[in-house]
Amino acid sequence: MTSNAVPAHAPLELESFLPYRLSILSNTVSQSIADEYTDRFQLSMTEWRVMAVLARFADLSAREVAERTRMDKVAVSRALARLVEAGRVDRSTHDGDKRRSVLKLSEAGWTIHDEVAPMARAHERDLLARLDEGEQAQLKSILDKLMAP
């Protein structure tokens, strides 16, 4: 086989494939933030995302949390079970529908949230500081376009 030969398969060039690059960027950024709260609070990345959603939107069901985070329902369910067991999330029954659970941060959950959220914002500021104002605006615009339905 010569060096110019076409391979039998056409492998995907991951290093230039946008979904892969976005995933790597997301994982890298998320992990750098997670390193701090994992050590300090024994909190997984999924658990933190669930807590952040519950801090922003009160009285959600597990299904609604999964929809807002766009995470796997099973992963969200497991994270919620751990958070409830650890006393970080309170689970109650919806007044109008006894089959529906309503979730919210407990006082302990809010205490952790109020320490982790500023750390997350600081990481975001540090990351965005690599871009000038125009690039930041472009990034926001591009992300908005790519995330639009």
Side-chain angles (χ1 to χ4, degrees):
M1 179 181 244
T2 66
S3 62
N4 293 335
V6 176
H9 302 281
L12 188 62
E13 293 180 18
L14 287 176
E15 59 278 358
S16 61
F17 185 57
L18 181 62
Y20 179 78
R21 294 181 74 198
L22 290 173
S23 177
I24 294 296
L25 176 61
S26 173
N27 291 344
T28 301
V29 171
S30 294
Q31 191 58 57
S32 70
I33 298 166
D35 287 343
E36 286 189 49
Y37 61 72
T38 298
D39 292 343
R40 203 159 160 191
F41 300 106
Q42 293 71 54
L43 191 64
S44 74
M45 206 178 307
T46 304
E47 290 167 344
W48 165 245
R49 288 180 181 168
V50 167
M51 288 179 68
V53 167
L54 291 175
R56 178 80 171 90
F57 305 99
D59 299 333
L60 296 179
S61 67
R63 181 185 53 78
E64 291 167 326
V65 171
E67 287 171 2
R68 289 195 180 271
T69 59
R70 304 248 169 104
M71 291 188 298
D72 178 69
K73 290 177 189 174
V74 173
V76 169
S77 178
R78 287 180 181 152
L80 281 166
R82 289 188 302 269
L83 290 166
V84 168
E85 183 178 331
R88 296 170 174 177
V89 168
D90 291 331
R91 182 186 315 234
S92 59
T93 304
H94 188 273
D95 290 336
D97 182 356
K98 298 297 180 195
R99 297 169 297 167
R100 181 175 180 247
S101 290
V102 176
L103 303 158
K104 64 181 179 182
L105 291 182
S106 66
E107 284 302 315
W110 276 111
T111 299
I112 292 170
H113 172 274
D114 292 346
E115 287 191 48
V116 174
M119 293 177 352
R121 286 187 197 102
H123 276 280
E124 179 188 44
R125 277 191 305 277
D126 291 346
L127 182 65
L128 289 174
R130 299 176 191 179
L131 307 174
D132 64 37
E133 286 184 31
E135 291 169 326
Q136 289 181 31
Q138 281 182 311
L139 177 61
K140 182 186 180 320
S141 176
I142 291 167
L143 290 173
D144 289 346
K145 278 185 180 181
L146 291 177
M147 292 180 70

